[in-house]
Protein backbone atom coordinates (compact mmCIF):
# COMPACT_ATOMS: atom_id res chain seq x y z
CA UNK A 1 0.00 0.00 0.00
CA UNK A 2 1.47 3.40 -0.89
CA UNK A 3 2.30 5.66 2.04
CA UNK A 4 0.15 8.81 1.95
CA UNK A 5 1.96 10.28 4.95
CA UNK A 6 5.63 11.24 4.92
CA UNK A 7 7.45 8.24 6.32
CA UNK A 8 10.54 10.05 7.49
CA UNK A 9 14.04 8.94 7.96
CA UNK A 10 14.28 5.57 9.72
CA UNK A 11 15.95 2.96 7.54
CA UNK A 12 13.96 -0.27 7.21
CA UNK A 13 16.27 -2.31 9.46
CA UNK A 14 15.61 0.06 12.37
CA UNK A 15 11.86 -0.39 12.20
CA UNK A 16 10.04 -2.30 14.93
CA UNK A 17 10.25 -5.77 13.42
CA UNK A 18 13.90 -6.18 14.33
CA UNK A 19 13.86 -4.14 17.51
CA UNK A 20 13.51 -4.80 21.19
CA UNK A 21 10.54 -3.62 23.22
CA UNK A 22 12.42 -0.47 24.22
CA UNK A 23 13.32 0.20 20.61
CA UNK A 24 9.68 -0.24 19.63
CA UNK A 25 8.54 2.32 22.19
CA UNK A 26 11.13 4.82 21.04
CA UNK A 27 10.11 4.38 17.43
CA UNK A 28 6.43 4.67 18.12
CA UNK A 29 6.92 7.78 20.26
CA UNK A 30 8.59 9.52 17.33
CA UNK A 31 5.48 9.03 15.23
CA UNK A 32 6.66 10.89 12.14
CA UNK A 33 8.97 8.58 10.37
CA UNK A 34 7.92 5.28 11.89
CA UNK A 35 5.85 2.57 10.34
CA UNK A 36 3.16 3.30 12.95
CA UNK A 37 2.47 6.53 11.11
CA UNK A 38 3.20 5.18 7.65
CA UNK A 39 0.63 3.28 5.61
CA UNK A 40 0.05 0.72 8.41
CA UNK A 41 -1.28 1.45 11.89
CA UNK A 42 -2.17 5.06 11.15
CA UNK A 43 -3.43 4.98 7.57
CA UNK A 44 -3.91 8.12 5.55
CA UNK A 45 -7.53 8.59 6.61
CA UNK A 46 -6.64 8.51 10.31
CA UNK A 47 -3.68 10.78 9.99
CA UNK A 48 -5.48 13.63 8.20
CA UNK A 49 -8.58 13.58 10.43
CA UNK A 50 -7.58 16.57 12.50
CA UNK A 51 -10.79 18.51 11.77
CA UNK A 52 -13.75 18.60 14.21
CA UNK A 53 -15.91 15.46 13.99
CA UNK A 54 -19.52 15.80 12.77
CA UNK A 55 -22.13 15.39 15.54
CA UNK A 56 -23.24 11.73 15.51
CA UNK A 57 -26.87 10.61 16.00
CA UNK A 58 -26.06 9.19 19.44
CA UNK A 59 -25.39 12.77 20.58
CA UNK A 60 -28.92 13.80 19.55
CA UNK A 61 -31.31 11.49 21.40
CA UNK A 62 -31.71 10.30 24.97
CA UNK A 63 -30.40 6.80 25.51
CA UNK A 64 -31.98 3.87 27.34
CA UNK A 65 -32.61 4.20 31.07
CA UNK A 66 -31.15 2.06 33.83
CA UNK A 67 -32.47 -1.50 34.22
CA UNK A 68 -34.00 -1.44 30.74
CA UNK A 69 -31.70 -4.46 30.47
CA UNK A 70 -31.54 -5.78 34.08
CA UNK A 71 -28.90 -8.36 33.16
CA UNK A 72 -26.56 -6.72 30.66
CA UNK A 73 -25.88 -8.13 27.23
CA UNK A 74 -23.22 -7.35 24.61
CA UNK A 75 -23.93 -4.59 22.10
CA UNK A 76 -26.13 -5.67 19.19
CA UNK A 77 -23.23 -4.70 16.94
CA UNK A 78 -21.14 -7.54 18.42
CA UNK A 79 -23.69 -10.21 17.55
CA UNK A 80 -21.22 -12.43 15.70
CA UNK A 81 -19.09 -13.12 18.77
CA UNK A 82 -20.67 -16.45 19.58
CA UNK A 83 -19.98 -20.00 20.71
CA UNK A 84 -20.23 -22.27 17.69
CA UNK A 85 -20.30 -26.01 17.09
CA UNK A 86 -19.16 -28.16 14.17
CA UNK A 87 -22.29 -29.94 12.98
CA UNK A 88 -20.61 -32.99 11.47
CA UNK A 89 -18.45 -33.59 14.53
CA UNK A 90 -21.13 -35.27 16.65
CA UNK A 91 -24.41 -36.99 15.73
CA UNK A 92 -26.45 -34.55 17.84
CA UNK A 93 -26.07 -31.49 20.07
CA UNK A 94 -26.80 -33.39 23.32
CA UNK A 95 -23.44 -35.15 23.43
CA UNK A 96 -21.44 -32.42 21.75
CA UNK A 97 -19.16 -29.43 22.03
CA UNK A 98 -19.33 -25.71 21.41
CA UNK A 99 -16.16 -23.72 20.88
CA UNK A 100 -15.21 -20.35 22.40
CA UNK A 101 -14.58 -17.55 19.87
CA UNK A 102 -11.01 -17.05 21.06
CA UNK A 103 -10.26 -14.96 17.96
CA UNK A 104 -12.49 -12.22 19.41
CA UNK A 105 -11.31 -12.26 22.99
CA UNK A 106 -8.96 -9.90 24.78
CA UNK A 107 -7.16 -10.32 28.07
CA UNK A 108 -7.35 -13.72 29.74
CA UNK A 109 -10.90 -14.02 31.12
CA UNK A 110 -13.63 -15.73 29.11
CA UNK A 111 -17.05 -14.13 29.70
CA UNK A 112 -19.47 -16.70 31.16
CA UNK A 113 -21.67 -16.67 28.09
CA UNK A 114 -18.76 -17.55 25.81
CA UNK A 115 -17.19 -20.36 27.86
CA UNK A 116 -16.95 -23.47 25.68
CA UNK A 117 -19.52 -26.18 26.48
CA UNK A 118 -19.03 -29.93 26.54
CA UNK A 119 -21.89 -32.23 27.43
CA UNK A 120 -21.99 -36.01 27.29
CA UNK A 121 -25.72 -36.04 28.08
CA UNK A 122 -26.94 -32.47 27.68
CA UNK A 123 -27.13 -29.58 30.14
CA UNK A 124 -29.60 -30.17 33.00
CA UNK A 125 -31.34 -27.50 35.13
CA UNK A 126 -30.42 -28.22 38.72
CA UNK A 127 -32.07 -26.49 41.71
CA UNK A 128 -29.27 -25.38 44.07
CA UNK A 129 -31.54 -25.76 47.11
CA UNK A 130 -32.19 -29.42 46.35
CA UNK A 131 -28.81 -30.46 44.98
CA UNK A 132 -26.58 -32.43 47.36
CA UNK A 133 -22.90 -33.34 47.38
CA UNK A 134 -21.88 -36.45 49.31
CA UNK A 135 -18.35 -37.28 50.53
CA UNK A 136 -18.08 -40.93 51.48
CA UNK A 137 -15.99 -44.12 51.24
CA UNK A 138 -12.75 -44.10 53.21
CA UNK A 139 -13.72 -41.19 55.48
CA UNK A 140 -14.26 -40.79 59.22
CA UNK A 141 -17.28 -38.51 58.86
CA UNK A 142 -19.35 -38.89 55.68
CA UNK A 143 -20.73 -35.50 54.64
CA UNK A 144 -23.89 -34.47 52.84
CA UNK A 145 -23.63 -30.84 51.73
CA UNK A 146 -25.90 -28.29 50.04
CA UNK A 147 -24.46 -25.32 48.16
CA UNK A 148 -25.30 -23.18 51.19
CA UNK A 149 -23.22 -25.52 53.36
CA UNK A 150 -20.33 -25.25 50.91
CA UNK A 151 -20.53 -21.45 51.02
CA UNK A 152 -19.90 -21.56 54.78
CA UNK A 153 -16.46 -23.14 54.33
CA UNK A 154 -13.35 -20.91 53.98
CA UNK A 155 -13.46 -19.55 50.44
CA UNK A 156 -10.84 -19.82 47.72
CA UNK A 157 -10.64 -17.90 44.42
CA UNK A 158 -8.26 -18.53 41.54
CA UNK A 159 -7.98 -17.88 37.80
CA UNK A 160 -7.52 -21.04 35.74
CA UNK A 161 -8.06 -22.24 32.21
CA UNK A 162 -10.15 -25.25 31.27
CA UNK A 163 -9.27 -27.14 28.11
CA UNK A 164 -10.90 -30.26 26.74
CA UNK A 165 -8.15 -32.79 25.93
CA UNK A 166 -9.78 -33.23 22.51
CA UNK A 167 -8.95 -29.59 21.64
CA UNK A 168 -7.17 -29.72 18.28
CA UNK A 169 -7.92 -33.43 18.00
CA UNK A 170 -9.25 -33.05 14.46
CA UNK A 171 -5.85 -31.71 13.34
CA UNK A 172 -4.05 -34.76 14.65
CA UNK A 173 -4.98 -36.84 11.65
CA UNK A 174 -4.81 -33.95 9.22
CA UNK A 175 -8.40 -32.63 9.20
CA UNK A 176 -7.55 -28.95 9.00
CA UNK A 177 -10.14 -26.39 9.99
CA UNK A 178 -9.61 -22.87 8.66
CA UNK A 179 -10.77 -21.38 11.94
CA UNK A 180 -8.99 -20.91 15.25
CA UNK A 181 -12.37 -21.19 16.95
CA UNK A 182 -12.49 -24.82 15.84
CA UNK A 183 -8.78 -25.69 16.13
CA UNK A 184 -8.30 -24.23 19.63
CA UNK A 185 -11.68 -23.07 20.99
CA UNK A 186 -12.29 -25.87 23.49
CA UNK A 187 -10.39 -23.54 25.77
CA UNK A 188 -11.64 -20.95 28.24
CA UNK A 189 -10.36 -19.23 31.37
CA UNK A 190 -12.34 -17.96 34.35
CA UNK A 191 -11.99 -16.70 37.87
CA UNK A 192 -13.39 -19.56 39.94
CA UNK A 193 -14.59 -19.37 43.54
CA UNK A 194 -15.43 -22.18 45.92
CA UNK A 195 -13.84 -24.42 48.54
CA UNK A 196 -10.51 -26.18 48.29
CA UNK A 197 -10.84 -29.94 48.01
CA UNK A 198 -8.27 -30.29 50.80
CA UNK A 199 -10.57 -28.28 53.11
CA UNK A 200 -13.49 -30.63 52.42
CA UNK A 201 -11.28 -33.70 52.83
CA UNK A 202 -10.18 -32.42 56.22
CA UNK A 203 -13.80 -31.85 57.25
CA UNK A 204 -14.73 -35.40 56.24
CA UNK A 205 -11.63 -36.89 57.86
CA UNK A 206 -10.46 -38.72 54.75
CA UNK A 207 -8.42 -41.81 55.64
CA UNK A 208 -4.69 -40.99 55.15
CA UNK A 209 -4.23 -44.06 52.99
CA UNK A 210 -7.06 -43.23 50.62
CA UNK A 211 -5.12 -42.79 47.38
CA UNK A 212 -7.93 -42.33 44.83
CA UNK A 213 -11.08 -40.23 44.64
CA UNK A 214 -14.12 -40.90 42.49
CA UNK A 215 -16.06 -37.88 41.21
CA UNK A 216 -19.57 -38.31 39.83
CA UNK A 217 -21.81 -35.80 38.05
CA UNK A 218 -25.57 -35.35 38.41
CA UNK A 219 -26.37 -35.20 34.67
CA UNK A 220 -27.72 -37.82 32.25
CA UNK A 221 -24.16 -38.98 31.47
CA UNK A 222 -23.36 -39.32 35.19
CA UNK A 223 -19.80 -38.41 34.20
CA UNK A 224 -17.55 -40.44 36.48
CA UNK A 225 -13.77 -40.20 36.83
CA UNK A 226 -11.14 -41.62 39.16
CA UNK A 227 -8.61 -39.06 40.35
CA UNK A 228 -5.25 -39.77 41.97
CA UNK A 229 -4.41 -38.54 45.47
CA UNK A 230 -0.87 -38.68 46.93
CA UNK A 231 0.39 -42.28 46.83
CA UNK A 232 -1.88 -43.42 43.98
CA UNK A 233 -0.98 -46.50 41.91
CA UNK A 234 -2.81 -47.69 38.82
CA UNK A 235 -4.59 -51.06 38.59
CA UNK A 236 -1.24 -52.68 37.61
CA UNK A 237 0.68 -51.25 40.56
CA UNK A 238 2.43 -48.43 38.67
CA UNK A 239 2.85 -45.10 40.53
CA UNK A 240 0.60 -42.27 39.38
CA UNK A 241 2.44 -39.26 40.83
CA UNK A 242 -0.09 -36.55 39.91
CA UNK A 243 -2.05 -36.69 43.19
CA UNK A 244 0.22 -34.34 45.13
CA UNK A 245 -0.11 -31.62 42.49
CA UNK A 246 -3.87 -32.21 42.23
CA UNK A 247 -4.41 -31.75 45.94
CA UNK A 248 -2.54 -28.42 45.93
CA UNK A 249 -5.17 -26.57 43.93
CA UNK A 250 -8.28 -28.74 43.33
CA UNK A 251 -11.55 -27.03 44.27
CA UNK A 252 -15.29 -27.57 44.45
CA UNK A 253 -16.54 -24.35 42.83
CA UNK A 254 -19.89 -22.57 42.98
CA UNK A 255 -18.98 -19.28 41.29
CA UNK A 256 -17.42 -18.19 38.02
CA UNK A 257 -16.29 -14.63 37.23
CA UNK A 258 -18.11 -13.28 40.27
CA UNK A 259 -21.54 -14.84 39.70
CA UNK A 260 -23.02 -18.28 40.37
CA UNK A 261 -21.73 -20.94 37.95
CA UNK A 262 -23.51 -20.90 34.60
CA UNK A 263 -25.75 -23.93 33.91
CA UNK A 264 -23.39 -24.83 31.06
CA UNK A 265 -20.47 -24.97 33.49
CA UNK A 266 -22.21 -27.22 36.01
CA UNK A 267 -24.49 -25.00 38.11
CA UNK A 268 -24.78 -25.20 41.08
CA UNK A 269 -21.40 -26.91 41.74
CA UNK A 270 -18.57 -28.50 39.83
CA UNK A 271 -15.20 -30.00 40.56
CA UNK A 272 -12.28 -27.95 39.23
CA UNK A 273 -8.89 -29.60 38.84
CA UNK A 274 -6.61 -26.82 37.52
CA UNK A 275 -4.19 -27.91 34.80
CA UNK A 276 -5.79 -31.29 34.16
CA UNK A 277 -7.85 -32.22 31.10
CA UNK A 278 -11.23 -30.56 31.58
CA UNK A 279 -13.04 -33.89 31.45
CA UNK A 280 -12.11 -34.57 35.09
CA UNK A 281 -13.63 -31.26 36.23
CA UNK A 282 -16.94 -33.01 36.78
CA UNK A 283 -19.99 -30.73 36.48
CA UNK A 284 -23.21 -30.89 38.53
CA UNK A 285 -20.97 -32.69 41.07
CA UNK A 286 -22.95 -34.96 43.39
CA UNK A 287 -20.48 -37.45 44.84
CA UNK A 288 -16.85 -37.74 45.93
CA UNK A 289 -15.89 -41.21 47.07
CA UNK A 290 -12.50 -42.02 48.59
CA UNK A 291 -10.77 -45.37 48.03
CA UNK A 292 -7.44 -46.99 47.32
CA UNK A 293 -7.62 -47.92 43.64
CA UNK A 294 -9.00 -46.47 40.41
CA UNK A 295 -12.56 -47.47 39.51
CA UNK A 296 -11.69 -47.68 35.78
CA UNK A 297 -14.94 -46.26 34.49
CA UNK A 298 -15.90 -45.94 30.82
CA UNK A 299 -14.41 -42.45 30.53
CA UNK A 300 -10.97 -43.61 31.65
CA UNK A 301 -11.05 -46.76 29.56
CA UNK A 302 -12.77 -46.53 26.19
CA UNK A 303 -12.35 -42.73 26.27
CA UNK A 304 -9.67 -40.35 27.52
CA UNK A 305 -6.95 -42.90 26.88
CA UNK A 306 -4.49 -42.58 24.01
CA UNK A 307 -3.61 -45.26 21.49
CA UNK A 308 0.18 -45.13 21.07
CA UNK A 309 2.22 -46.20 18.01
CA UNK A 310 3.08 -49.56 19.66
CA UNK A 311 -0.62 -50.45 19.97
CA UNK A 312 -0.73 -49.90 23.75
CA UNK A 313 -2.99 -47.32 25.35
CA UNK A 314 -1.72 -44.47 27.50
CA UNK A 315 -4.06 -44.15 30.49
CA UNK A 316 -4.35 -41.50 33.23
CA UNK A 317 -2.62 -38.84 31.13
CA UNK A 318 -4.24 -36.08 33.15
CA UNK A 319 -2.24 -32.89 32.64
CA UNK A 320 -2.51 -30.49 29.71
CA UNK A 321 1.06 -29.76 28.56
CA UNK A 322 2.47 -26.38 27.48
CA UNK A 323 0.67 -24.91 24.48
CA UNK A 324 0.21 -21.65 22.59
CA UNK A 325 -1.49 -20.23 19.51
CA UNK A 326 -1.46 -16.94 17.61
CA UNK A 327 -4.94 -15.37 17.81
CA UNK A 328 -4.11 -12.41 15.49
CA UNK A 329 -3.55 -12.79 12.62
CA UNK A 330 -5.40 -16.09 12.27
CA UNK A 331 -7.84 -17.64 9.76
CA UNK A 332 -10.76 -15.90 11.49
CA UNK A 333 -8.91 -12.54 11.70
CA UNK A 334 -7.13 -11.79 8.45
CA UNK A 335 -4.83 -8.81 7.95
CA UNK A 336 -6.75 -5.92 6.42
CA UNK A 337 -3.90 -3.50 5.70
CA UNK A 338 -0.13 -3.88 5.32
CA UNK A 339 2.17 -2.11 7.75
CA UNK A 340 2.41 -2.44 11.50
CA UNK A 341 0.74 -5.50 12.99
CA UNK A 342 0.77 -6.58 16.60
CA UNK A 343 0.92 -10.37 16.57
CA UNK A 344 -1.15 -11.51 19.58
CA UNK A 345 -1.70 -14.88 21.10
CA UNK A 346 -2.46 -17.09 24.07
CA UNK A 347 -0.15 -19.47 25.90
CA UNK A 348 -0.99 -21.86 28.72
CA UNK A 349 0.31 -24.88 30.57
CA UNK A 350 -1.34 -27.30 32.97
CA UNK A 351 2.04 -27.64 34.70
CA UNK A 352 2.29 -24.07 35.98
CA UNK A 353 3.32 -20.66 34.67
CA UNK A 354 4.34 -19.77 31.15
CA UNK A 355 7.89 -18.41 31.27
CA UNK A 356 8.65 -17.69 27.64
CA UNK A 357 6.98 -17.50 24.21
CA UNK A 358 8.86 -17.26 20.91
CA UNK A 359 7.29 -16.26 17.61
CA UNK A 360 8.53 -17.05 14.11
CA UNK A 361 7.29 -15.52 10.84
CA UNK A 362 9.23 -17.98 8.66
CA UNK A 363 7.76 -21.30 9.79
CA UNK A 364 10.12 -21.86 12.70
CA UNK A 365 13.53 -21.12 11.13
CA UNK A 366 14.11 -17.89 13.07
CA UNK A 367 12.47 -16.98 16.37
CA UNK A 368 11.99 -13.76 18.33
CA UNK A 369 10.91 -13.53 21.97
CA UNK A 370 7.37 -12.26 22.53
CA UNK A 371 6.33 -10.04 25.43
CA UNK A 372 4.14 -11.68 28.09
CA UNK A 373 1.28 -9.48 29.30
CA UNK A 374 0.55 -9.35 33.03
CA UNK A 375 -0.86 -11.14 34.88
CA UNK A 376 1.12 -14.31 34.22
CA UNK A 377 -0.59 -16.88 36.43
CA UNK A 378 -0.11 -20.58 37.05
CA UNK A 379 -2.42 -22.81 34.97
CA UNK A 380 -4.13 -19.76 33.47
CA UNK A 381 -4.24 -18.32 29.98
CA UNK A 382 -1.33 -15.95 29.37
CA UNK A 383 -1.31 -13.26 26.67
CA UNK A 384 1.70 -12.61 24.49
CA UNK A 385 2.34 -9.90 21.88
CA UNK A 386 5.10 -9.05 19.43
CA UNK A 387 5.28 -6.22 16.85
CA UNK A 388 5.56 -7.14 13.18
CA UNK A 389 5.97 -5.07 10.07
CA UNK A 390 4.22 -6.81 7.16
CA UNK A 391 4.44 -5.69 3.56
CA UNK A 392 2.32 -8.26 1.77
CA UNK A 393 4.87 -11.05 1.68
CA UNK A 394 3.78 -14.63 2.27
CA UNK A 395 4.67 -15.67 5.82
CA UNK A 396 4.39 -18.74 8.07
CA UNK A 397 3.63 -17.44 11.54
CA UNK A 398 3.92 -19.75 14.55
CA UNK A 399 4.38 -19.51 18.33
CA UNK A 400 6.22 -21.77 20.75
CA UNK A 401 5.64 -21.71 24.51
CA UNK A 402 7.93 -22.76 27.35
CA UNK A 403 6.58 -23.36 30.86
CA UNK A 404 8.16 -23.17 34.31
CA UNK A 405 9.15 -26.85 34.21
CA UNK A 406 11.27 -26.07 31.11
CA UNK A 407 8.88 -27.96 28.83
CA UNK A 408 9.02 -26.67 25.24
CA UNK A 409 5.91 -26.90 23.07
CA UNK A 410 6.68 -29.49 20.36
CA UNK A 411 6.20 -29.31 16.60
CA UNK A 412 3.45 -31.46 15.07
CA UNK A 413 6.14 -33.73 13.60
CA UNK A 414 7.70 -34.23 17.05
CA UNK A 415 4.30 -34.93 18.56
CA UNK A 416 3.40 -37.47 15.87
CA UNK A 417 6.80 -39.16 16.32
CA UNK A 418 6.14 -39.56 20.03
CA UNK A 419 2.47 -40.49 19.98
CA UNK A 420 1.62 -41.70 16.49
CA UNK A 421 -1.46 -40.64 14.57
CA UNK A 422 -4.20 -42.80 16.14
CA UNK A 423 -5.02 -40.23 18.73
CA UNK A 424 -7.31 -37.33 19.39
CA UNK A 425 -6.28 -36.21 22.89
CA UNK A 426 -3.61 -33.83 24.15
CA UNK A 427 -2.65 -32.28 20.83
CA UNK A 428 -0.50 -29.36 22.01
CA UNK A 429 1.82 -28.89 19.04
CA UNK A 430 2.83 -25.56 17.51
CA UNK A 431 0.16 -24.11 15.21
CA UNK A 432 1.37 -22.65 11.92
CA UNK A 433 -0.73 -20.05 10.09
CA UNK A 434 0.13 -19.14 6.50
CA UNK A 435 -0.35 -15.43 5.75
CA UNK A 436 -1.15 -14.92 2.05
CA UNK A 437 -0.14 -11.80 0.07
CA UNK A 438 -3.72 -10.46 0.25
CA UNK A 439 -3.76 -10.81 4.04
CA UNK A 440 -5.87 -13.94 4.16
CA UNK A 441 -4.69 -16.54 6.70
CA UNK A 442 -4.75 -20.33 6.24
CA UNK A 443 -4.25 -23.25 8.59
CA UNK A 444 -1.23 -25.24 7.40
CA UNK A 445 0.87 -28.09 8.73
CA UNK A 446 4.60 -28.11 8.16
CA UNK A 447 5.95 -31.61 7.84
CA UNK A 448 9.50 -32.42 8.98
CA UNK A 449 10.51 -29.15 10.56
N1 LIG B 1 -21.17 -34.15 34.74
C1 LIG B 1 -20.43 -33.87 33.66
N2 LIG B 1 -19.23 -33.28 33.83
C2 LIG B 1 -18.47 -32.99 32.76
C3 LIG B 1 -18.90 -33.33 31.45
C4 LIG B 1 -20.17 -33.94 31.30
O1 LIG B 1 -20.63 -34.23 30.19
N3 LIG B 1 -20.91 -34.18 32.42
N4 LIG B 1 -18.05 -33.07 30.39
C5 LIG B 1 -16.64 -32.98 30.72
C6 LIG B 1 -15.80 -32.57 29.61
S1 LIG B 1 -15.43 -33.75 28.45
C7 LIG B 1 -15.26 -31.32 29.56
S2 LIG B 1 -14.19 -30.89 28.30
C8 LIG B 1 -15.59 -30.28 30.55
C9 LIG B 1 -16.11 -29.04 29.86
O2 LIG B 1 -16.44 -28.04 30.77
P1 LIG B 1 -17.34 -26.83 30.30
O3 LIG B 1 -18.55 -27.37 29.61
O4 LIG B 1 -17.63 -26.05 31.52
O5 LIG B 1 -16.50 -26.05 29.33
O6 LIG B 1 -16.55 -30.74 31.49
C10 LIG B 1 -16.39 -32.07 31.90
N5 LIG B 1 -17.29 -32.38 32.98
MO1 LIG C 1 -13.82 -32.90 27.05
Amino acid sequence: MPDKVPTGQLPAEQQPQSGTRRKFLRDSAALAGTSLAGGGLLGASTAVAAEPLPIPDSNKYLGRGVVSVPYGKPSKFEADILRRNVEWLTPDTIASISFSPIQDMHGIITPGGLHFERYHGGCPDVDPDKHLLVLHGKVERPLKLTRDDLRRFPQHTAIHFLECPANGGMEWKGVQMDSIQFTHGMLSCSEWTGVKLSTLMEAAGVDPDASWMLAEGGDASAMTRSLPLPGAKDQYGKDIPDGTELLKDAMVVYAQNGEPLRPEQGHPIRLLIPGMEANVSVKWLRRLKFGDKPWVHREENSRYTELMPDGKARQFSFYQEGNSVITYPCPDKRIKEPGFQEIRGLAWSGRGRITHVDVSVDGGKNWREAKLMEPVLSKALTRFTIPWEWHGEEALIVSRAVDETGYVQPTLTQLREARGTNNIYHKNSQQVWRVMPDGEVKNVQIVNV
Side-chain angles (χ1 to χ4, degrees):
M1 202 188 119
D3 289 331
K4 299 252 171 61
V5 177
T7 46
Q9 314 78 10
L10 275 182
E13 69 272 16
Q14 282 180 31
Q15 301 227 345
Q17 80 267 30
S18 56
T20 59
R21 174 73 187 153
R22 178 178 301 151
K23 167 98 174 33
F24 166 59
L25 286 174
R26 197 188 67 206
D27 288 348
S28 53
L31 269 186
T34 70
S35 51
L36 286 178
L41 180 67
L42 299 182
S45 54
T46 324
V48 297
E51 296 148 33
L53 294 168
I55 309 273
D57 282 352
S58 56
N59 272 151
K60 297 180 191 162
Y61 63 85
L62 292 172
R64 282 192 304 271
V66 294
V67 297
S68 59
V69 185
Y71 192 107
K73 292 191 196 107
S75 157
K76 66 179 180 186
F77 299 104
E78 310 293 349
D80 65 336
I81 304 180
L82 296 171
R83 296 190 278 226
R84 293 186 174 87
N85 66 332
V86 175
E87 271 177 31
W88 54 260
L89 194 59
T90 52
D92 59 50
T93 56
I94 304 293
S96 195
I97 288 169
S98 75
F99 298 77
S100 285
I102 58 173
Q103 69 275 14
D104 284 303
M105 304 204 315
H106 303 278
I108 61 168
I109 298 293
T110 310
L114 295 175
H115 196 290
F116 82 96
E117 311 155 275
R118 173 71 176 112
Y119 315 130
H120 293 243
C123 178
D125 282 317
V126 179
D127 181 342
D129 294 329
K130 294 189 184 137
H131 185 77
L132 292 171
L133 169 65
V134 167
L135 278 80
H136 69 138
K138 283 177 155 276
V139 299
E140 253 174 64
R141 301 171 287 278
L143 296 177
K144 193 158 74 177
L145 303 167
T146 62
R147 183 179 67 173
D148 276 350
D149 296 333
L150 284 165
R151 285 175 169 175
R152 291 187 58 200
F153 282 91
Q155 211 175 47
H156 182 69
T157 291
I159 294 175
H160 290 297
F161 75 83
L162 269 184
E163 184 184 24
C164 174
N167 205 16
M170 291 180 281
E171 304 284 299
W172 196 275
K173 290 180 185 170
V175 180
Q176 287 172 250
M177 309 288 284
D178 262 327
S179 160
I180 195 179
Q181 186 161 5
F182 298 137
T183 57
H184 288 81
M186 290 187 217
L187 172 71
S188 298
C189 185
S190 300
E191 183 197 73
W192 306 99
T193 299
V195 189
K196 285 198 126 188
L197 176 66
S198 53
T199 306
L200 294 176
M201 285 174 60
E202 197 186 315
V206 171
D207 190 332
D209 52 56
S211 55
W212 284 88
M213 176 179 83
L214 182 86
E216 186 188 86
D219 57 330
S221 77
M223 175 57 66
T224 308
R225 289 291 309 250
S226 306
L227 286 157
L229 298 173
K233 292 179 187 307
D234 72 7
Q235 63 274 40
Y236 311 107
K238 195 182 114 204
D239 285 335
I240 304 291
D242 296 333
T244 308
E245 185 66 18
L246 177 150
L247 206 49
K248 252 176 42 194
D249 43 24
M251 306 165 69
V252 172
V253 301
Y254 44 74
Q256 170 188 5
N257 300 334
E259 62 180 352
L261 274 185
R262 292 291 177 97
E264 300 92 313
Q265 269 64 65
H267 178 265
I269 53 168
R270 87 179 297 163
L271 187 61
L272 185 85
I273 316 281
M276 283 193 176
E277 56 186 22
N279 178 263
V280 300
S281 286
V282 171
K283 302 190 277 188
W284 311 288
L285 182 68
R286 66 184 291 270
R287 185 158 81 102
L288 292 172
K289 184 179 183 181
F290 295 86
D292 53 16
K293 51 183 176 325
W295 285 263
V296 195
H297 263 262
R298 183 189 60 187
E299 308 293 345
E300 49 214 45
N301 197 343
S302 80
R303 300 271 175 232
Y304 303 100
T305 55
E306 291 156 76
L307 189 55
M308 303 297 275
D310 65 1
K312 291 190 178 160
R314 195 164 84 130
Q315 197 180 30
F316 302 129
S317 45
F318 291 116
Y319 276 99
Q320 297 293 104
E321 302 289 355
N323 205 342
S324 72
V325 67
I326 293 173
T327 57
Y328 175 80
C330 75
D332 321 57
K333 291 279 169 206
R334 53 167 297 159
I335 304 181
K336 290 186 178 151
E337 245 188 324
F340 174 83
Q341 315 294 328
E342 185 171 66
I343 294 181
R344 297 182 183 141
L346 291 168
W348 64 100
S349 167
R351 301 282 187 186
R353 280 185 179 73
I354 290 293
T355 51
H356 193 101
V357 176
D358 288 315
V359 170
S360 170
V361 296
D362 57 11
K365 288 192 203 113
N366 298 288
W367 297 91
R368 283 193 298 146
E369 187 177 352
K371 177 184 163 233
L372 303 184
M373 258 167 71
E374 294 291 337
V376 177
L377 302 170
S378 180
K379 304 173 189 181
L381 293 186
T382 299
R383 277 271 162 201
F384 65 86
T385 63
I386 190 165
W388 184 38
E389 189 74 27
W390 180 74
H391 296 291
E393 70 280 10
E394 210 174 297
L396 295 169
I397 59 172
V398 50
S399 63
R400 177 179 70 188
V402 181
D403 73 15
E404 65 179 86
T405 69
Y407 178 90
V408 181
Q409 183 185 359
T411 64
L412 185 59
T413 305
Q414 288 167 336
L415 197 68
R416 284 193 177 129
E417 269 163 21
R419 305 221 208 112
T421 52
N422 273 319
N423 204 347
I424 53 165
Y425 300 116
H426 298 287
K427 190 244 160 219
N428 66 320
S429 58
Q430 298 164 22
Q431 174 67 55
V432 186
W433 304 130
R434 180 182 184 184
V435 179
M436 310 302 280
D438 64 355
E440 223 187 299
V441 182
K442 301 268 187 208
N443 176 4
V444 292
Q445 298 189 350
I446 298 182
V447 184
N448 292 326
V449 284

